[in-house]
Amino acid sequence: MKLFCFLTLFFTLTLHAQFQINGIVNDSKNKPLPFATITTSDNNNTITDVDGKFILSSKVKITSFTVSYIGYQTKAITVSDNKKFYPISLKQRTDNLKEVIISNENPALAILRKVISNKNNNNPQKKLNSFEYKTYSKLIVTANPDSIKGRIDSSAAYKDLKKKRINVDSSDYKFKELISKQHLFQTEKLSQYQFGNKKLKETILGTKMAGFKQPVYEIIAFNLQSISIYDPKYELFETKYNNPISNDALKDYNYKLLDTVAIQGRNTFMVYFKNKKKRRASGLEGVLYIDQENYAIAKAVMRIKGVLDISGVHEFEYVPEEKIWFPGNTTFKIVKGKNDDDIKILGGTIQFDGDIEEGFEIREKSASDFTYLLSESNNFDIHYNTTTPINNPSLYIEIEDDASKKTEDFWNQYRKESLDLKGQKTYLLLDSLSVRNRIEKRLGIGRKIINGFYPIGPADLDLKKIISYNNYEGFRLGLGGITNERFSKYFRIEGYGAYGTKDGNFKYNLGFGVLLDKNTNTWLNGSYTDDVREIASTLFAVDKRVFKIYDPRPINISTFYHYISWKTNLQTKIIPKTEAVLEISRNQIEPKFDYLFNLNGKLYSSYVMTTTMLSIVWAPFSDFMQTPTGRNETEKRFPRFTFQYTQSLPNVLDNDFTFSKIDFKTEYEKKYLNGQKTSFLLQGGFATGDVPITHLYNTMPNNLNKETIIQRITFSGRNSFETMYFNEFFSNQYAFFQVKHGFNRIKIMKKVRPSLVLVTRMAWGHMQNPEQHIGPAYKTLEKGFFESGIELNKIYKGFGLGGFYRYGPNQLPKFEDNIAVKISYVIDLGL
């Protein structure tokens, strides 16, 4: 998770200001006035935050400023040389705005209705057929050194006059000294945006990231805020909220007309909005500056105040020729909010402390509390109604191969302001620090560990192959891996070897791959495998590899088949928004349990299956990024669809059976603005022809055949029937449906905050030609199988507990046999 957490006190903190004053604006009853307008003597504007606080910063001396707020008398303030803080009280006035007088209705609501009805005329992506522009963006993680006490204390403990024990050290001083010379993090980006055929694409022409020769592409693709202010859902720090100007916004937000302000010579209404829900951090709040003539957004301030205090400011330029407000500049900030727990990001490199719980002494602010993130973007070189074709329009982001190799002359021609001494030192110091501490290398190792590999020289050790357990092999001890880019960027070798302590057999695999096309991640692969696999299991070739430190479900499996396989496949992302695998294989199968397959009176205890298979996953609503190392899915959106077709090849390489298999899967997730999430999974399969039970469907069981509930307690599976016993049901055609709803975490104690999830699963199936399968006793699913349950995940230290109940036509006579209790464990890697 690429979250940075930082602290500052106000919206308008400016790093390089020479003159700075701050204050607070209240009414006559000492209540803060949020988003009051502050205008300086040199005609610069800012607004107070939700607590009425403000900061004025300028490179020239501020001699005076005025404070205005709708319904209150404007006040002029003269700045004194030695005064830095200004508490200001405004008196209420009785006259109303003459511009909008609408009887019996909040005037702000009338304005918002016109904004909503005129959205298509004011939204550049609706009104214009095409456009393009360049954007220079700079992001820093830093702190204001003047806010840090920075006293020099020895690392010691002493008692003051009241005999209280006080621990002091020099960490604040060291932090202040560091932040006076450099930022904690800094990155720059130059992009070209192109819009056409209702799609917006970003091409990154240049990128520079302090401490990294090769930029971290995940950070580049990180969505800080929505590009368009007119989208139905407004996104702030990768969380979506109902937009205050969406079609149904009036039911979610309260609005208040604050003032009228001139922007670029055009009069605007200044409208404050806030989510109607009373709970803290339940949604957006902020200010919209609305053109009084065409009801377009001329400026927008969006804010969330919770565990993190996050704000996004959008400024627009009016284009008379097109009669439209076009995006100009955006500013994004993250500061510390109200939180109980210490938050550490990137291994503790960036952190801030939790707040003291109620009833304890007020904690003095430490240096880490003043850390914050600031991102600024400026649009330029704007062209409207362009005819330049967009290359690879299905991509959301494309990074040019030489983007990270641009010279300093390249950056100087696009920076709004030249890089100051502090920014220059940031690159020099962080680059040297990164080399000295091997940060880039450690980050690469961390990425691979998440996927279950550990790099050792030119090869990556496969952590999944080291040890596992199941009821057939016992402890499976092994070693495996794959060559990495240090070996070759265009050729790879992979393999593994394993030994089962219970069955006493060795298993192994050897494979190779050749890169055919880097941009589409197209590989031609071949392999030889001698191993065992769970019977009747459904495997989609395009499913992503999931690494778990523990994989509990196989522990309870005892029915496997042995297979020797030769296969070759083509793996590619050449079709937009898809990944596909086309494979041909020859498999020699031997069931390792009591089973015979009856084909027209001939009994098979082993058989050969020569097949061709096409597997494809399609994510039509996801965003994809093209990097110099390949194509990646940057934002996973739903629904997404997986399809797999398998066909045996008669009379090819001694194939014994003729059959076809069709498997499909549809996944959907809906995240709600209140933090809850609902997910749906629909999966099914249809096998026709002569198919042995080893390659049919078992509908994902995960329950032990034990006498009591206590004996059946085990780890939960992933999308498995927790109350269905292993080998209880088999089908040659089935349909499976699952729905899960996750609620917000419930705080029982500070470190006990379980996540409640409600789960319901159901399946139907049918077995054609049951007389072909001789040996195991099983049931079929014509009447359906149903279970529901409750999961309490991450109760403490990642551990959770779940309970499930089986009901319906396949319910068992004994009540306790229908109950399953499961343990879960979730590891938060903090990335």
Side-chain angles (χ1 to χ4, degrees):
M1 185 165 114
K2 309 172 289 293
L3 300 182
F4 299 97
C5 304
F6 318 100
L7 175 70
T8 191
L9 296 177
F10 307 101
F11 268 81
T12 54
L13 182 60
T14 304
L15 287 173
H16 310 300
Q18 295 174 339
F19 299 95
Q20 180 173 291
I21 59 175
N22 56 66
I24 186 170
V25 179
N26 295 317
D27 62 11
S28 57
K29 296 180 180 179
N30 210 33
K31 290 184 178 181
L33 295 176
F35 304 112
T37 302
I38 315 291
T39 305
T40 64
S41 53
D42 56 350
N43 292 322
N44 287 323
N45 292 330
T46 188
I47 57 176
T48 60
D49 67 7
V50 292
D51 300 315
K53 298 176 182 177
F54 68 91
I55 288 181
L56 284 175
S57 301
S58 176
K59 292 184 178 180
V60 297
K61 186 175 181 180
I62 301 172
T63 58
S64 64
F65 63 91
T66 59
V67 183
S68 61
Y69 197 80
I70 186 67
Y72 291 81
Q73 297 177 12
T74 299
K75 197 167 190 176
I77 307 296
T78 301
V79 176
S80 303
D81 289 339
N82 298 322
K83 189 175 180 180
K84 298 296 183 184
F85 183 79
Y86 291 82
I88 301 163
S89 179
L90 298 184
K91 294 181 180 179
Q92 200 164 8
R93 69 185 187 199
T94 56
D95 58 317
N96 294 320
L97 280 177
K98 295 180 181 179
E99 289 86 352
V100 283
I101 301 177
I102 303 175
S103 60
N104 300 323
E105 186 178 29
N106 177 357
L109 291 179
I111 295 171
L112 261 296
R113 287 194 179 95
K114 292 186 177 181
V115 172
I116 294 170
S117 63
N118 285 277
K119 277 193 304 182
N120 288 347
N121 293 328
N122 295 316
N123 182 357
Q125 294 187 24
K126 295 289 185 180
K127 185 174 183 178
L128 301 176
N129 292 324
S130 60
F131 56 78
E132 62 181 52
Y133 61 90
K134 290 185 175 69
T135 300
Y136 167 77
S137 304
K138 181 181 177 182
L139 182 149
I140 59 173
V141 178
T142 190
N144 185 356
D146 295 334
S147 301
I148 305 168
K149 287 186 177 181
R151 62 186 181 186
I152 305 177
D153 296 319
S154 59
S155 297
Y158 65 90
K159 294 183 179 180
D160 65 3
L161 295 176
K162 296 181 181 179
K163 307 298 182 183
K164 291 183 178 179
R165 187 175 180 86
I166 303 173
N167 291 293
V168 296
D169 57 40
S170 58
S171 59
D172 281 10
Y173 171 77
K174 292 177 180 178
F175 185 80
K176 181 174 182 177
E177 187 180 36
L178 171 71
I179 209 65
S180 298
K181 297 177 182 178
Q182 66 171 84
H183 304 305
L184 298 176
F185 180 72
Q186 180 174 277
T187 182
E188 296 175 277
K189 182 176 72 170
L190 181 74
S191 300
Q192 181 179 21
Y193 285 89
Q194 294 175 285
F195 176 78
N197 296 321
K198 300 181 180 180
K199 292 182 179 179
L200 182 68
K201 181 192 173 183
E202 177 186 6
T203 301
I204 297 176
L205 308 176
T207 178
K208 190 175 185 180
M209 191 172 291
F212 295 92
K213 293 180 181 178
Q214 185 77 16
V216 183
Y217 297 125
E218 293 89 343
I219 293 179
I220 293 177
F222 197 65
N223 239 351
L224 296 177
Q225 62 194 119
S226 288
I227 294 175
S228 174
I229 196 67
Y230 291 97
D231 291 338
K233 294 290 185 291
Y234 181 80
E235 191 165 0
L236 202 58
F237 206 38
E238 294 209 328
T239 302
K240 293 183 179 180
Y241 302 86
N242 200 20
N243 196 319
I245 60 170
S246 66
N247 292 338
D248 60 348
L250 300 186
K251 69 178 178 59
D252 289 334
Y253 291 94
N254 289 319
Y255 301 88
K256 181 180 179 181
L257 182 59
L258 299 181
D259 209 341
T260 57
V261 179
I263 299 180
Q264 298 179 35
R266 295 178 68 86
N267 293 326
T268 67
F269 297 119
M270 187 177 173
V271 176
Y272 169 69
F273 66 89
K274 185 175 183 179
N275 195 280
K276 289 181 179 180
K277 297 180 180 179
K278 300 297 182 184
R279 293 188 300 110
R280 186 183 69 178
S282 59
L284 287 174
E285 62 180 311
V287 173
L288 301 173
Y289 295 78
I290 300 166
D291 191 309
Q292 294 186 20
E293 183 178 333
N294 60 11
Y295 294 92
I297 304 299
K299 183 178 178 180
V301 179
M302 320 292 269
R303 189 180 185 189
I304 309 161
K305 190 173 183 181
V307 173
L308 297 174
D309 196 345
I310 306 172
S311 62
V313 179
H314 298 254
E315 296 180 277
F316 298 81
E317 297 287 335
Y318 186 72
V319 185
E321 299 83 4
E322 303 292 339
K323 296 182 180 180
I324 200 170
W325 287 88
F326 196 84
N329 304 319
T330 57
T331 304
F332 175 88
K333 293 181 184 178
I334 302 177
V335 304
K336 181 183 177 181
K338 181 71 175 176
N339 65 291
D340 296 328
D341 300 324
D342 295 349
I343 299 180
K344 298 181 180 181
I345 303 300
L346 300 179
T349 304
I350 301 169
Q351 64 185 58
F352 53 71
D353 300 329
D355 296 312
I356 299 298
E357 290 185 330
E358 197 172 326
F360 290 82
E361 294 182 11
I362 296 175
R363 176 180 64 81
E364 184 177 349
K365 292 183 183 296
S366 66
S368 66
D369 288 328
F370 295 92
T371 310
Y372 64 93
L373 178 146
L374 174 65
S375 173
E376 295 178 305
S377 299
N378 307 295
N379 299 338
F380 63 96
D381 195 16
I382 304 170
H383 302 278
Y384 309 100
N385 299 315
T386 56
T387 57
T388 306
I390 302 175
N391 295 325
N392 300 321
S394 62
L395 296 172
Y396 180 66
I397 300 175
E398 185 168 6
I399 303 175
E400 293 194 343
D401 288 348
D402 64 343
S404 61
K405 302 173 184 177
K406 299 299 184 183
T407 64
E408 198 62 22
D409 290 338
F410 171 88
W411 290 107
N412 286 333
Q413 65 179 314
Y414 293 115
R415 287 174 178 141
K416 189 176 182 182
E417 296 179 356
S418 59
L419 206 62
D420 61 5
L421 185 60
K422 192 172 181 178
Q424 294 173 30
K425 284 186 175 181
T426 300
Y427 280 125
L428 291 173
L429 294 173
L430 287 184
D431 286 349
S432 62
L433 181 67
S434 176
V435 173
R436 186 166 66 247
N437 293 334
R438 301 185 303 166
I439 292 175
E440 198 162 4
K441 181 179 179 180
R442 289 161 63 187
L443 180 62
I445 291 174
R447 278 197 190 120
K448 291 190 175 182
I449 288 176
I450 291 174
N451 292 313
F453 293 98
Y454 186 86
I456 301 176
D460 295 340
L461 177 68
D462 192 338
L463 301 177
K464 290 185 70 175
K465 303 297 184 184
I466 296 174
I467 186 170
S468 60
Y469 182 86
N470 61 67
N471 273 339
Y472 174 73
E473 295 177 279
F475 284 100
R476 178 180 168 120
L477 309 175
L479 193 66
I482 183 171
T483 57
N484 55 38
E485 58 278 359
R486 290 184 60 183
F487 175 81
S488 173
K489 294 181 179 179
Y490 309 101
F491 183 79
R492 65 190 179 196
I493 301 172
E494 59 183 318
Y496 65 81
Y499 176 76
T501 58
K502 189 175 179 179
D503 69 341
N505 290 326
F506 285 95
K507 298 91 180 174
Y508 60 94
N509 161 271
L510 182 64
F512 67 92
V514 178
L515 181 63
L516 301 182
D517 184 70
K518 179 183 67 174
N519 291 332
T520 59
N521 299 86
T522 301
W523 286 82
L524 178 64
N525 306 297
S527 68
Y528 175 82
T529 307
D530 186 334
D531 206 341
V532 294
R533 180 176 296 166
E534 177 191 1
I535 70 167
S537 55
T538 301
L539 298 175
F540 288 92
V542 290
D543 276 354
K544 296 296 183 184
R545 172 191 169 100
V546 177
F547 171 62
K548 299 179 181 179
I549 291 179
Y550 71 100
D551 192 4
R553 187 176 175 274
I555 291 174
N556 306 309
I557 301 172
S558 57
T559 47
F560 287 78
Y561 64 87
H562 173 246
Y563 69 99
I564 297 175
S565 173
W566 292 89
K567 68 179 180 183
T568 182
N569 66 49
L570 186 70
Q571 186 180 356
T572 185
K573 298 179 181 178
I574 193 169
I575 304 173
K577 300 197 173 187
T578 69
E579 181 172 356
V581 175
L582 178 61
E583 180 177 284
I584 298 176
S585 65
R586 182 187 188 275
N587 301 276
Q588 187 174 335
I589 309 297
E590 181 186 1
K592 308 305 288 186
F593 60 101
D594 184 17
Y595 176 72
L596 294 172
F597 181 64
N598 180 8
L599 179 60
N600 301 322
K602 184 178 179 180
L603 301 180
Y604 288 83
S605 59
S606 63
Y607 32 86
V608 173
M609 307 173 78
T610 305
T611 61
T612 182
M613 180 265 293
L614 173 64
S615 185
I616 186 167
V617 57
W618 179 41
F621 305 103
S622 292
D623 289 334
F624 288 82
M625 174 173 63
Q626 184 73 51
T627 74
T629 58
R631 187 172 300 175
N632 302 312
E633 188 175 6
T634 58
E635 183 168 358
K636 189 176 181 179
R637 293 198 182 105
F638 298 90
R640 55 194 297 118
F641 309 93
T642 306
F643 171 85
Q644 186 163 289
Y645 177 72
T646 306
Q647 177 64 55
S648 67
L649 301 176
N651 303 317
V652 176
L653 299 176
D654 301 319
N655 177 64
D656 285 319
F657 309 133
T658 301
F659 66 89
S660 303
K661 286 183 69 176
I662 299 174
D663 299 286
F664 69 92
K665 179 170 59 175
T666 301
E667 302 165 271
Y668 180 78
E669 283 186 7
K670 179 173 177 58
K671 294 181 179 179
Y672 300 92
L673 300 179
N674 59 9
Q676 299 184 41
K677 182 176 78 171
T678 302
S679 63
F680 300 91
L681 173 62
L682 176 63
Q683 184 170 321
F686 181 82
T688 182
D690 302 316
V691 191
I693 204 169
T694 52
H695 289 69
L696 293 180
Y697 306 106
N698 61 11
T699 332
M700 298 163 287
N702 192 35
N703 203 13
L704 295 175
N705 293 301
K706 300 291 184 180
E707 187 65 28
T708 66
I709 296 176
I710 299 298
Q711 292 174 312
R712 292 196 298 268
I713 294 177
T714 184
F715 281 94
S716 60
R718 186 173 181 263
N719 304 327
S720 302
F721 276 112
E722 305 296 347
T723 60
M724 182 185 290
Y725 296 101
F726 286 99
N727 302 324
E728 186 179 2
F729 295 90
F730 288 100
S731 307
N732 77 297
Q733 51 190 266
Y734 81 103
F736 168 82
F737 178 71
Q738 173 184 274
V739 57
K740 287 186 177 182
H741 182 81
F743 296 89
N744 286 326
R745 298 184 72 173
I746 305 166
K747 184 175 181 180
I748 298 175
M749 294 190 302
K750 183 176 181 179
K751 292 189 176 181
V752 180
R753 296 187 301 157
S755 173
L756 175 65
V757 181
L758 302 181
V759 185
T760 292
R761 301 183 180 99
M762 57 194 73
W764 292 266
H766 175 68
M767 175 61 82
Q768 210 169 31
N769 303 321
E771 68 279 359
Q772 290 185 319
H773 310 291
I774 301 172
Y778 62 89
K779 294 184 285 186
T780 56
L781 281 170
E782 281 82 357
K783 296 180 180 179
F785 189 97
F786 305 87
E787 77 171 21
S788 295
I790 298 175
E791 295 176 350
L792 285 174
N793 296 323
K794 295 186 285 189
I795 298 174
Y796 182 74
K797 298 289 185 181
F799 281 97
L801 197 64
F804 297 85
Y805 182 69
R806 170 175 173 168
Y807 55 93
N810 277 296
Q811 187 176 40
L812 299 174
K814 289 184 180 180
F815 174 78
E816 59 270 23
D817 289 344
N818 298 295
I819 296 175
V821 178
K822 301 292 176 176
I823 301 169
S824 65
Y825 184 67
V826 178
I827 297 176
D828 186 358
L829 295 173
L831 297 172

